[in-house]
C-alpha cells in the first residue's frame, strides 16, 4: 500500500511537470490569445504614458504610481495597443512591467507578438534583448511561429536576424513542417544565396516535395532595385 501511494505521488508530480512545461505554448491557456478590451483606467494610463514619454522623471513616477495598479486585463490591453501602434519604447517599458508581475508566466504568444512588432520597426537591439529573455525562460516556439517570425524579419530587410532565428529553428526538436519552410523560402527571394542554403535544407528534409524556384530574372530585378 505504501509503495502504491509513493508511485501515485510520483506519477502526479510527473504529470504536473508536463503540464507546466506545455503551458508556455498552449493557446488554450494563453491570456495573449484572448480578446483585449481596455477599461477606462487602461485608456487613461495609455494616454498619459504617451504624453509623458519624453519627460523621464514624470514618466517613471507615473509608472510607479499608476501602471503598477492596473488590472491584469488592462495592462495586457495597453501593451497590445502600444504594439499595434508600433510604439517601441513604450512597448518595451510595459514588456518589462509585465514580466515582473506575480501572475506572469512565460508564454510563446507574448514573445511572438513582441518580436513581430520589433521586426516591423527594425528594432534589432530590442529584438535581441527579448530573444535572450525567452531563451532564459526556456520558451518554446512551434514550427509555424518560427516561420512567421523569420518571414517578418526578412520582410523588414533584416536577413541576418532572420537567419539567426532560422538556426534556432533548425535546432528545434519538433518535427519539421514543409509550410513554414515555404514561407521562409518565399521571403528569401531577395536573398538568393541565403535562399539556396535554406532550399538545400528543405530538399534534405522533404525529398518528395517540389520546391518552387522563381524565374532567374526576378532575382536580378530585385538586386538592381536594391542597388538603385
Amino acid at each position: 500500500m505504501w509503495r502504491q501511494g509513493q508511485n501515485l505521488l510520483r506519477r502526479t508530480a510527473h504529470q504536473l511537470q508536463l503540464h507546466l512545461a506545455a503551458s508556455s505554448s498552449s493557446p488554450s491557456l494563453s491570456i495573449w490569445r484572448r480578446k483585449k478590451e481596455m477599461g477606462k483606467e487602461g485608456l487613461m494610463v495609455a494616454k498619459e504614458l504617451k504624453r509623458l514619454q519624453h519627460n523621464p522623471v514624470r514618466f517613471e513616477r507615473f509608472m510607479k504610481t499608476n501602471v503598477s495598479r492596473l488590472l491584469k486585463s488592462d495592462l495586457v490591453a495597453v501593451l497590445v495597443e502600444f504594439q499595434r501602434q508600433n510604439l517601441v519604447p513604450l512597448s518595451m517599458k510595459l514588456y518589462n512591467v509585465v514580466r515582473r508581475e506575480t501572475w506572469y508566466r512565460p508564454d510563446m504568444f507574448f514573445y511572438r507578438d513582441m518580436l513581430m512588432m520589433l521586426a516591423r520597426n527594425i528594432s534589432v537591439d530590442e529584438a535581441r534583448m527579448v530573444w535572450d529573455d525567452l531563451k532564459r525562460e526556456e520558451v518554446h516556439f512551434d514550427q509555424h511561429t518560427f516561420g512567421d517570425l523569420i518571414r517578418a524579419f526578412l520582410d523588414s530587410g533584416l536577413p541576418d536576424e532572420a537567419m539567426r532565428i532560422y538556426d534556432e529553428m533548425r535546432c528545434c526538436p519538433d518535427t519539421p513542417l514543409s509550410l513554414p519552410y515555404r514561407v521562409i523560402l518565399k521571403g528569401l527571394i531577395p536573398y538568393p544565396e541565403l535562399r539556396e542554403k535554406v532550399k538545400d535544407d528543405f530538399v534534405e528534409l522533404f525529398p518528395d516535395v517540389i520546391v518552387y524556384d522563381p524565374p532567374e530574372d526576378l532575382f536580378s530585378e530585385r538586386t538592381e532595385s536594391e542597388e538603385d
Side-chain angles (χ1 to χ4, degrees), residues 48-187:
E48 197 66 9
L49 285 175
K50 290 172 69 174
R51 188 178 72 86
L52 297 175
Q53 61 181 314
H54 301 300
N55 188 324
V57 175
R58 294 184 63 190
F59 182 90
E60 290 301 329
R61 185 186 304 131
F62 186 80
M63 288 281 291
K64 292 177 182 178
T65 58
N66 293 75
V67 175
S68 61
R69 298 205 312 261
L70 280 179
L71 296 174
K72 175 170 69 173
S73 58
D74 274 336
L75 181 57
V76 169
V78 173
L79 173 56
V80 170
E81 180 59 21
F82 284 167
Q83 290 172 340
R84 186 188 69 81
Q85 296 183 33
N86 294 317
L87 301 174
V88 173
L90 290 176
S91 294
M92 290 301 295
K93 285 286 186 181
L94 288 196
Y95 161 82
N96 288 319
V97 170
V98 166
R99 294 179 66 246
R100 292 195 296 266
E101 292 292 312
T102 57
W103 48 261
Y104 169 75
R105 298 293 181 273
D107 188 287
M108 177 184 80
F109 298 106
F110 169 65
Y111 279 106
R112 187 201 70 169
D113 292 346
M114 280 298 300
L115 287 168
M116 294 288 276
M117 183 272 297
L118 294 171
R120 286 196 306 270
N121 291 276
I122 318 180
S123 301
V124 175
D125 291 341
E126 290 83 353
R128 290 184 177 181
M129 184 188 310
V130 170
W131 191 269
D132 288 343
D133 289 339
L134 73 89
K135 292 288 286 185
R136 279 192 294 269
E137 294 180 0
E138 300 181 348
V139 174
H140 171 75
F141 283 149
D142 59 34
Q143 292 283 294
H144 291 291
T145 301
F146 267 121
D148 291 343
L149 283 171
I150 293 167
R151 181 62 183 273
F153 279 91
L154 289 172
D155 289 349
S156 292
L158 298 170
D160 291 342
E161 294 305 305
M163 295 307 291
R164 189 171 64 85
I165 298 175
Y166 175 74
D167 290 339
E168 296 278 354
M169 178 181 177
R170 291 286 286 145
C171 296
C172 177
D174 288 359
T175 302
L177 302 174
S178 63
L179 181 57
Y181 277 85
R182 289 184 180 277
V183 170
I184 297 167
L185 285 169
K186 188 173 182 180

